[in-house]
Amino acid sequence: MKDEIHGLADGAVVSPACRETARATVDLDAICRNVEVLCKHAGSAAVMAVVKADAYGHGLLPSARAALRGGASWLGVAQLSEAMAMRDNGIHAPLLSWLHVPGSDFAAAVAADIDLSVSALWSLAEIADAARGLGCTARIHLKVDTGLGRNGAFGDDWQTLLPAARRLEAEGLVRIVGVWSHFVYADEPTHPTVRLQEERFGQAVREAERAGCDLEVRHIANSAATLTNPGAAFDLVRPGLAVYGLSPVPALGDPQSFGLTPAMTLSADLAVTKRIPAGQGLSYGHEYVTSQDTTVGLVPIGYADGVPRNATNVGPVSVAGTRHTVAGRVCMDQFVVDLGPTSGAQPGDRVTLFGAGESGEPTAQDWAEATGTISYEIISRIGSRVPRIHVGGQR
């Protein structure tokens, strides 16, 4: 398979005449292998590969197909637009969408055989109306809030939602195929909330079954739980970050310790190199001042492309196998690196912001630690003008 270059937002192919200044190279074979590993961790449970947010910045359609090749039997997304994009592009695997607002186009989703999450009476009513208009049955997963305090029916709302859904199921308007929830502290497997949520989830499942629900799947496990808590697998696990080869529990192990391979490498080409004397400030505000005569390089990628602005003076990069740090403020389109007094770097040389770390380059986790965030944000925030170059993918 030839390498493919795509933009993030619409999948448009970038013209070869427009050389990219930066790129996110995505190894589809790594995604495939990561899912194979996750399938082993899941045991008898099926695997739903979460491909929301443009597959965590990796490219929705290529990543979804790679995950299916690796053994995922379900796909999961937050928004209906993501689900419809997959259906419109020939991906027919079981597919769940879970984050909706009143007035969403549920009719299109039901017609496209997309499973829908239901957390409240309003969504149940709108989905049933859509099914009634189409003369068919909508597949729904009831979400119970077991303690996260985010989406899902909480407390007495669950006791209202469940019988309402069963009444509509009796009418043939919906089919309750799943009950699901989400952990608060899955990245801390011994945290007391983990066990408490498992108990609450089990209770909600039993209540659904006693109410007459014939469930296909029960699911609560995310990446962290899939890797560290086999007892939470139930019928289906929903790994997201781990699909792309990053550790959801960095305090417990790096990707390699779980058999995962980071799939994305973010790099750019030096646009300018020049000699700068000692005592010269670099970038806005001169927050970095050279301590000696040195060579600096201009890296043409900035916060408009997803490089954290607070990477100023802390963001790690690699040039010709040597680690350096962002020197001065990260700007909208660029930042500067102090390459040292003996550097022979030239315009066009490759700068790696993060990758798998196998050649000593920084990782997304290194960037997360440097900027006080999590690796999820580092990879998913890469902007739309950074093309995704997909490599591999042959099976």
Side-chain angles (χ1 to χ4, degrees):
M1 177 183 290
K2 296 178 67 176
D3 297 355
E4 294 182 354
I5 306 176
H6 295 87
L8 172 62
D10 58 8
V13 176
V14 177
S15 168
C18 302
R19 173 169 176 167
E20 72 279 358
T21 58
R23 80 290 302 161
T25 305
V26 177
D27 183 348
L28 297 176
D29 288 334
I31 292 175
C32 186
R33 291 192 301 270
N34 292 334
V35 174
E36 290 173 351
V37 169
L38 291 164
C39 287
K40 293 177 181 177
H41 279 280
S44 61
V47 171
M48 174 190 290
V50 177
V51 292
K52 64 179 182 178
D54 200 52
Y56 287 51
H58 290 66
L60 175 63
L61 300 176
S63 298
R65 294 183 178 117
L68 292 172
R69 285 195 298 273
S73 52
W74 286 73
L75 297 169
V77 292
Q79 299 179 359
L80 280 178
S81 59
E82 300 168 313
M84 292 302 299
M86 284 190 280
R87 287 291 191 253
D88 291 344
N89 284 276
I91 295 176
H92 302 298
L95 174 57
L96 173 65
S97 171
W98 57 73
L99 189 58
H100 316 123
V101 295
S104 296
D105 191 354
F106 292 121
V110 173
D113 195 27
I114 295 167
D115 286 18
L116 299 167
S117 175
V118 171
S119 298
L121 292 176
W122 74 260
S123 59
L124 179 64
E126 290 196 16
I127 291 168
D129 285 345
R132 186 179 292 108
L134 292 168
C136 65
T137 302
R139 290 170 52 92
I140 63 172
H141 298 228
L142 299 180
K143 186 169 188 184
V144 56
D145 182 352
T146 54
L148 182 58
R150 202 175 62 175
N151 203 4
F154 185 81
D156 290 343
D157 290 342
W158 174 252
Q159 305 304 326
T160 302
L161 181 65
L162 178 58
R166 281 291 292 131
R167 287 192 294 271
L168 291 171
E169 187 168 46
E171 293 181 41
L173 294 174
V174 303
R175 162 95 167 84
I176 304 168
V177 299
V179 171
W180 72 299
S181 191
H182 198 65
F183 280 118
V184 177
Y185 274 108
D187 54 343
E188 296 184 27
T190 60
H191 195 280
T193 61
V194 174
R195 181 58 184 159
L196 179 60
Q197 283 191 270
E198 288 180 15
E199 292 174 354
R200 289 175 175 172
F201 182 64
Q203 179 181 345
V205 167
R206 290 189 294 273
E207 289 171 350
E209 291 171 339
R210 284 197 298 268
C213 296
D214 182 16
L215 302 175
E216 293 179 12
V217 288
R218 305 147 186 85
H219 49 109
I220 190 173
N222 56 5
S223 285
T226 300
L227 293 172
T228 66
N229 187 3
F234 290 90
D235 307 302
L236 180 68
V237 297
R238 305 188 311 269
L241 186 75
V243 168
Y244 311 101
L246 301 182
S247 172
V249 284
L252 302 180
D254 61 12
Q256 289 71 28
S257 67
F258 292 110
L260 304 173
T261 303
M264 180 188 288
T265 297
L266 180 64
S267 62
D269 297 339
L270 286 174
V272 174
T273 59
K274 58 186 175 184
R275 296 292 295 175
I276 292 289
Q280 173 63 49
L282 302 179
S283 194
Y284 291 128
H286 282 183
E287 294 188 18
Y288 180 93
V289 178
T290 58
S291 61
Q292 59 185 332
D293 293 354
T294 190
T295 296
V296 301
L298 186 68
V299 185
I301 183 172
Y303 61 74
D305 306 295
V307 178
R309 188 172 183 270
N310 67 339
T312 294
N313 291 341
V314 297
V317 302
S318 177
V319 182
T322 301
R323 288 275 195 117
H324 299 279
T325 304
V326 173
R329 284 188 192 167
V330 174
C331 306
M332 183 177 289
D333 313 294
Q334 57 200 285
F335 62 82
V336 180
V337 175
D338 185 343
L339 298 168
T342 62
S343 174
Q346 298 293 321
D349 287 355
R350 184 63 54 90
V351 178
T352 301
L353 283 77
F354 62 79
E358 296 173 347
S359 301
E361 75 275 18
T363 64
Q365 183 61 32
D366 291 333
W367 272 80
E369 292 173 2
T371 58
T373 186
I374 54 177
S375 60
Y376 299 72
E377 181 181 357
I378 296 299
I379 58 172
S380 64
R381 68 184 293 160
I382 304 304
S384 60
R385 68 178 179 179
V386 177
R388 274 54 171 177
I389 302 177
H390 294 101
V391 300
Q394 297 185 67
R395 295 293 283 179

